[in-house]
Amino acid sequence: MVEGNVSLIMEFILVGFSDLPNLQGFLFGLFFIIYTGVLIGNGLIIVITKVEPVLQTPMYFFLRNFSFLEICYTSVILPRILANLWTQKINISFIACAAQFYAFFVMAITENFLLTVMAYDRYVAICKPLNYPLIMNHKVCVCLVAGSWISGIPFHLLLTYLIFSLPFCGSNKLDHIFCDIRPLLKLACGDTSVNEFSFYIIVLIVGVLPFLLIMWSYVKIITTILKVPGNKGRSKAFSTCSSHLIVVLLYLGCGIITYLRPSSSHSIELDKVFSIIYTTVTPVFNPIIYSLRNKDVVFALKKLLFK
């Protein structure tokens, strides 16, 4: 015990799915299949967009980086879940929890920015087609991707410090599937209003703002597509953009609902469900969404598998 009758917590108990003892084997198999699907599906996207000459365009350059990010993103969460289900050891050290918290949100912020970049790419391609090669040259594409990766670091360094510098007292039972902010704040002692306010500001900047920019891009895109003569041109443009829009709505929609809901309306079970959707389900469906709705990707995939 330290001064103020506050226990010095050295580790947390990451409850996860331990309250479902009869489903441990089933859940392990399910998450193993999901993680394998994420690795194989996104790995194939990376390979085909790298080796297929037809796919050497900015759109597929961003898609390749997005698929790599999805692998990193799920690898922060799923291996720990699988290890907990397999070994039944659900403790996580204070340092490991902080590291997972930091890595997860850096990846999440990077994904928000990269989705925004991909929307901008489609906006330029459809609304400014004559200037597209000039605007979206290779140097600009590399800078946009690098900026997406780097931008999340300062935001979350601050947030990680604000959360893990708090004193934790009483129970060390973290009722969630990973080290997330709301379960951590529930275990913190004293007034956490400043920390919560800082978190809301960061979510507005790195979550809601990218979402609004993406929606603005698609309003412009749809307006331009409707002016395109002929159904074939419209169909191709809608097909190219709809895949990205579905991913945005799945991922950012669940994330915004989870983190901007009032604390009073929060449910532990509902939070777990939303967390599973945007950390595991969305990444495994992304390759399917992009592949099935893109003839170039389907052709390249068939060509690779045939070889």
Side-chain angles (χ1 to χ4, degrees), residues 78-106:
L78 279 177
R80 167 68 67 172
I81 292 175
L82 289 170
N84 290 353
L85 289 169
W86 181 261
T87 64
Q88 299 299 303
K89 294 179 181 178
I90 57 175
N91 57 308
I92 182 171
S93 71
F94 187 87
I95 298 298
C97 187
Q100 187 188 59
F101 178 86
Y102 175 75
F104 170 76
F105 277 99
V106 166

Side-chain angles (χ1 to χ4, degrees), residues 81-287:
I81 292 175
L82 289 170
N84 290 353
L85 289 169
W86 181 261
T87 64
Q88 299 299 303
K89 294 179 181 178
I90 57 175
N91 57 308
I92 182 171
S93 71
F94 187 87
I95 298 298
C97 187
Q100 187 188 59
F101 178 86
Y102 175 75
F104 170 76
F105 277 99
V106 166
M107 298 294 174
I109 292 169
T110 301
E111 186 150 341
N112 293 349
F113 289 146
L114 196 52
L115 285 169
T116 308
V117 166
M118 292 169 78
Y120 175 69
D121 172 70
R122 292 300 82 211
Y123 162 75
V124 176
I126 292 171
C127 300
K128 301 178 185 292
L130 297 178
N131 295 324
Y132 182 71
L134 181 64
I135 295 172
M136 300 303 293
N137 60 67
H138 183 67
K139 185 178 179 181
V140 169
C141 293
V142 171
C143 289
L144 287 171
V145 169
S148 299
W149 279 93
I150 295 168
S151 298
I153 295 173
F155 284 109
H156 211 61
L157 273 174
L158 172 63
L159 188 59
T160 304
Y161 172 76
L162 286 172
I163 299 301
F164 286 89
S165 62
L166 287 168
F168 292 94
C169 56
S171 173
N172 66 340
K173 198 173 182 180
L174 203 62
D175 197 357
H176 204 50
I177 61 172
F178 66 96
C179 291
D180 203 359
I181 186 162
R182 288 191 182 277
L184 284 164
L185 286 174
K186 286 181 181 179
L187 302 184
C189 304
D191 183 16
T192 61
S193 57
V194 173
N195 307 75
E196 290 192 54
F197 178 75
S198 301
F199 174 68
Y200 279 121
I201 294 299
I202 289 173
V203 170
L204 287 172
I205 294 171
V206 302
V208 177
L209 182 59
F211 182 75
L212 293 176
L213 288 172
I214 292 168
M215 291 300 104
W216 176 83
S217 296
Y218 275 97
V219 168
K220 292 287 187 180
I221 288 168
I222 292 169
T223 304
T224 303
I225 289 174
L226 293 175
K227 295 176 183 177
V228 174
N231 291 329
K232 188 176 180 181
R234 289 182 186 179
S235 177
K236 185 176 180 181
F238 271 123
S239 178
T240 303
C241 296
S242 58
S243 301
H244 179 251
L245 194 55
I246 291 168
V247 171
V248 168
L249 293 174
L250 272 173
Y251 174 74
L252 278 176
C254 287
I256 289 171
I257 291 170
T258 300
Y259 292 111
L260 289 184
R261 286 199 344 268
S263 300
S264 57
S265 67
H266 266 260
S267 158
I268 293 171
E269 289 74 21
L270 196 58
D271 281 350
K272 287 183 182 181
V273 170
F274 277 124
S275 296
I276 290 168
I277 291 172
Y278 66 77
T279 60
T280 61
V281 176
T282 305
V284 81
F285 276 114
N286 286 347

